[in-house]
Amino acid sequence: MTEWEYHPAPDIDQSFVEQLRDFPRQPQMLHYAIRSLAALLLRGWMRIYHRLRIDGRENLPADGSFVLVCNHTSHLDTLAMLCAIELRRIHRAFPAAAADYFFSSVPRSAISAILINALPFDRKLKGAESLRVCAELLANPGNILILFPEGTRTTSGDLGRFRSGIGRLVVGTRVPVIPCHLDGGFRAWPKGKLVPRPRRLHLRIGAAKSYVHLDKTSESVKEICSDLQQAVADLGSTAT
């Protein structure tokens, strides 16, 4: 007879707040159930209140890990991107979220970790470490990383310069990168406003790109950032 052994969860000695801010987080069925319900409610709200339209879902890989990049107009960007992902994969989708903002308090940490499944990204002090965590995430097949390469929400509605993080993450790798563009987010929920307005949203998903052919140099990183920025801009130029 095989002797039974009990192995407690690795985060058993952590407080609730520490568990929320830690990454990768340990799976918890209650959090999965809450997130699944929230995803269903979110899709209903986005479709009714914002009349969300999504084009290009066929460009999302059916399996394997990949990165979604999008312009950053408001907090609605992440929600729209999550609506584009199949419900069965929602627990494997990780939007990168600024740790200094989305994990700055218990309520924000709970919403970010449980409902959104956000990956804490330190923009100021531990950028390289955060990129390493992202790389490890993508090395595990089936994960989806959602990034906003501008680094912060726009204050004008215009597309900003893509920072080097996305280039450093995917240069010389086979990880597919899918450019996306959300139209209407800035009008619906501009930075500084507390409540989103009922404006129409339109998410366009482009064809996947790969940068396995590029050497890991600073010039290649710049090329990737420029290429992805242009791809997102081109998707936005088709807005009607």
Side-chain angles (χ1 to χ4, degrees):
M1 178 181 293
T2 302
E3 185 176 351
W4 183 84
E5 294 183 7
Y6 169 68
H7 297 282
D11 60 354
I12 192 171
D13 292 327
Q14 293 181 331
S15 67
F16 176 65
V17 175
E18 289 173 333
Q19 291 176 2
L20 293 176
R21 295 174 180 171
D22 192 25
F23 197 89
R25 288 179 288 271
Q26 298 302 310
Q28 297 192 30
M29 295 307 297
L30 177 59
H31 293 180
Y32 279 24
I34 294 173
R35 188 179 303 130
S36 297
L37 176 60
L40 289 171
L41 295 175
L42 169 65
R43 288 164 195 238
W45 172 59
M46 294 289 279
R47 186 168 186 176
I48 296 171
Y49 190 73
H50 291 293
R51 293 163 287 171
L52 174 64
R53 172 182 169 186
I54 302 175
D55 292 334
R57 271 198 179 102
E58 66 277 5
N59 291 320
L60 298 178
D63 52 26
S65 294
F66 60 90
V67 183
L68 292 171
V69 298
C70 188
N71 57 317
H72 204 6
T73 61
S74 74
H75 291 320
L76 291 171
D77 306 340
T78 297
L79 305 183
M81 301 280 275
L82 289 173
C83 288
I85 296 169
E86 295 176 277
L87 278 173
R88 67 181 180 85
R89 305 184 73 180
I90 202 69
H91 306 296
R92 303 290 298 274
F94 303 90
D100 58 308
Y101 182 86
F102 289 98
F103 290 86
S104 60
S105 65
V106 175
R108 284 185 179 178
S109 297
I111 292 172
S112 300
I114 299 175
L115 300 187
I116 307 299
N117 203 26
L119 181 157
F121 196 98
D122 195 321
R123 300 178 294 183
K124 298 179 179 180
L125 300 177
K126 299 179 180 179
E129 182 177 332
S130 296
L131 283 177
R132 179 185 57 77
V133 172
C134 291
E136 292 175 353
L137 184 76
L138 294 171
N140 188 3
N143 287 329
I144 303 169
L145 179 64
I146 300 174
L147 292 178
F148 301 97
E150 293 166 271
T152 188
R153 288 169 290 163
T154 179
T155 56
S156 64
D158 297 327
L159 181 66
R161 178 181 63 85
F162 278 20
R163 299 186 180 183
S164 65
I166 180 60
R168 291 155 54 198
L169 179 64
V170 302
V171 63
T173 75
R174 297 185 181 276
V175 176
V177 186
I178 294 90
C180 305
H181 184 277
L182 181 68
D183 181 53
F186 183 72
R187 295 187 297 274
W189 201 0
K191 190 174 183 177
K193 299 296 182 180
L194 294 177
V195 180
R197 296 174 287 194
R199 300 293 189 270
R200 187 186 301 271
L201 300 177
H202 188 176
L203 178 65
R204 295 173 177 84
I205 303 172
K209 290 177 171 289
S210 173
Y211 301 100
V212 66
H213 61 286
L214 294 178
D215 296 327
K216 296 185 177 182
T217 64
S218 58
E219 290 304 315
S220 294
V221 169
K222 291 178 183 178
E223 180 180 340
I224 292 170
C225 293
S226 178
D227 184 55
L228 287 173
Q229 182 177 333
Q230 187 60 54
V232 171
D234 289 344
L235 289 169
S237 67
T238 63
T240 57

